[in-house]
Amino acid sequence: MNKFFDVFIGRLGSRNTRRVAKGQTAAQVEEWKAKGYQLQAERRVTEQLHEIYLVSL
């Protein structure tokens, strides 16, 4: 079963956190990390959909 990720820039629960990408694959999330973003939190919404919160270094 494939997992899909909605990518947010900012901290989980923060007022200024915004979604920057929808329906990303794990490989696409790795591309975000390669750009210099660090994983802050991951939240499972459904079996297939997860929310990823990234912060810049």
Side-chain angles (χ1 to χ4, degrees):
M1 186 178 308
N2 293 334
K3 283 203 263 185
F4 295 97
F5 302 91
D6 285 353
V7 178
F8 294 81
I9 300 296
R11 300 200 178 276
L12 177 63
S14 176
R15 182 187 310 184
N16 296 325
T17 298
R18 67 185 201 283
R19 182 171 56 200
V20 294
K22 255 177 112 169
Q24 302 285 291
T25 63
Q28 291 169 313
V29 170
E30 291 302 319
E31 289 176 15
W32 281 95
K33 290 179 184 176
K35 291 178 185 177
Y37 292 97
Q38 180 180 14
L39 178 66
Q40 192 269 329
E42 180 176 343
R43 187 170 77 119
R44 180 177 159 186
V45 178
T46 65
E47 184 70 29
Q48 290 184 314
L49 178 63
H50 292 243
E51 292 179 344
I52 295 286
Y53 294 85
L54 301 173
V55 291
S56 59
L57 297 176

